[in-house]
Amino acid sequence: PSSVAAAAFVKVSMDGAPYLRKVDLKTYGSYAELSKALEEMFGSFTDGGSHLRDFMSERRKTTDLLKGSDYVPTYEDKDGDWMLVGDVPWDMFVNSCKRLRIMRGSEAVGLVSSEH
Amino acid sequence: WKQVPPPLRTYTKVQKAGSVGRSIDATRFRNYDELKNAIACMFGLEGQLDDPRGSGWKLVYVDYENDVLLVGDDPWEEFITCVKCIRILSPSEVQQMSQEGLQLMN
């Protein structure tokens, strides 16, 4: 209530999970905090359970992630484009994120392979 | 992305596999606790919906964009304007749905 920033609720879907969740991005201060929250929300739906751990801070290893069966966080921005989470500074992300999707790495390959 | 404007308030269906459906006016309740208690009483699930982490029962809803979401994440005022229908998922339904989801991916 004391916060001056308006809430920023966005839907979060995860491939394979039975339902979506909603999070208020304004309650998190960094990608790491968001990552931890999403792990708690969706960890029980992953095959092994720990595939979501710190998946955002491991962003540098994206190409490796995509080769395995791990999950990749993506978001729909203001322009309606689906982008990889983690490239822009946190504040910019909060202001432009309209929806989150935790995608299976195997599905996301096409998104990233064009970078190389 | 397009947003379908919610219609004027009508009753919201509450459904559970194997049980007769019910209809409630969600605006009658002041918060999630009241809603969950009322639904739990209707379906004989007292005490099992207000502790979602422990019991394994999940209360989900379909919104006006046809997404299935967990009840309780939105601020209450937002929830009542976007809920289209409510569904009670048993622990085995939750498990079955996530397995089917994973199979679709593989």
Side-chain angles (χ1 to χ4, degrees), chain B residues 11-46:
Chain B
Y11 277 70
T12 302
K13 283 185 181 175
V14 184
Q15 291 172 310
K16 171 177 167 285
S19 300
V20 175
R22 301 289 303 264
S23 296
I24 55 160
D25 178 0
T27 58
R28 258 186 46 224
F29 305 99
R30 283 172 300 179
N31 54 47
Y32 285 115
D33 284 343
E34 288 188 7
L35 175 76
K36 286 184 181 180
N37 284 339
I39 292 177
C41 287
M42 287 175 170
F43 290 89
L45 293 168
E46 287 89 346

Side-chain angles (χ1 to χ4, degrees), chain A residues 11 20-22 99 104, chain B residues 63 65 67-68 73-74:
Chain A
K11 289 179 187 174
L20 284 69
R21 299 291 305 261
K22 273 194 186 176
R99 191 180 171 117
R104 285 225 123 187
Chain B
D63 72 3
E65 295 176 328
D67 286 317
V68 180
D73 288 333
D74 304 88

Side-chain angles (χ1 to χ4, degrees), chain A residues 6-31:
Chain A
F9 279 89
V10 297
K11 289 179 187 174
V12 190
S13 59
M14 189 180 88
D15 292 356
Y19 46 75
L20 284 69
R21 299 291 305 261
K22 273 194 186 176
V23 295
D24 179 4
L25 294 176
K26 293 280 167 72
T27 61
Y28 307 106
S30 65
Y31 285 118

Side-chain angles (χ1 to χ4, degrees), chain A residues 6 16 20-21 29-30 32 35-36 38 42 44-45 47 51 62 64-65 77 81 86 94 98-99 102-103:
Chain A
L20 284 69
R21 299 291 305 261
S30 65
S35 173
K36 191 163 180 287
L38 295 182
F42 289 106
S44 63
F45 300 126
D47 291 322
H51 293 293
T62 292
D64 294 331
L65 279 178
D77 69 9
D81 296 319
V94 170
K98 294 290 163 227
R99 191 180 171 117
I102 303 167
M103 197 182 285

